[in-house]
Amino acid sequence: TAELPPAEDFTRRLVQVLLEVVAGVRPISQLRRDTTPELYLSLRATVLCRPRPTGPRPDRRAIRSVHVQTRPEGIAEACATVRRGPRVTALALRIEGVDGRWRCTDLSGAARV
């Protein structure tokens, strides 16, 4: 884990990008680099089958909290609470260190696309 950037910074940035993809203000392709191919295809299928939403870009205040527990073998479990409109929901992520960077391998929760 010493070779990896801070897991909390990665998680916060990834959640922000995810919220912007769901809001329709950022292309889904921007999640490709930070997710496994399987997770990316799953997210892409979900996003593309929904009507394209319109509305304001989620700002940084949309992320209420981020908590990350990092394990020595380069795996981290993270959770975030996010505001989507009037609702606050939870999101759980598993991230793994690969080639000096983090990559999300699993994503679940009420805020999952």
Side-chain angles (χ1 to χ4, degrees), residues 5-67:
E8 186 172 338
D9 295 347
F10 170 83
T11 302
R12 188 171 294 278
R13 186 181 57 76
L14 180 64
V15 170
Q16 182 68 39
V17 171
L18 180 63
L19 290 174
E20 291 173 5
V21 166
V22 171
V25 297
R26 185 186 285 259
I28 183 74
S29 61
Q30 291 190 6
L31 287 172
R32 180 174 287 171
R33 181 178 187 272
D34 295 327
T35 59
T36 60
E38 299 80 14
L39 180 58
Y40 173 77
L41 290 175
S42 173
L43 291 169
R44 185 176 180 272
T46 303
V47 168
L48 294 179
C49 77
R50 290 184 174 179
R52 188 161 177 96
T54 57
R57 174 182 296 271
D59 62 17
R60 295 196 184 275
R61 294 175 300 183
I63 301 173
R64 309 275 297 191
S65 67
V66 172
H67 301 280

Side-chain angles (χ1 to χ4, degrees), residues 55-112:
R57 174 182 296 271
D59 62 17
R60 295 196 184 275
R61 294 175 300 183
I63 301 173
R64 309 275 297 191
S65 67
V66 172
H67 301 280
V68 179
Q69 180 67 42
T70 306
R71 298 193 331 228
E73 61 271 17
I75 296 172
E77 303 288 340
C79 64
T81 54
V82 297
R83 188 179 63 236
R84 293 180 60 203
R87 296 180 145 182
V88 175
T89 59
L91 183 62
L93 306 93
R94 179 182 173 94
I95 59 176
E96 297 180 10
V98 178
D99 297 328
R101 64 184 183 88
W102 292 108
R103 181 175 251 187
C104 185
T105 60
D106 196 18
L107 176 66
S108 63
R112 187 186 193 280

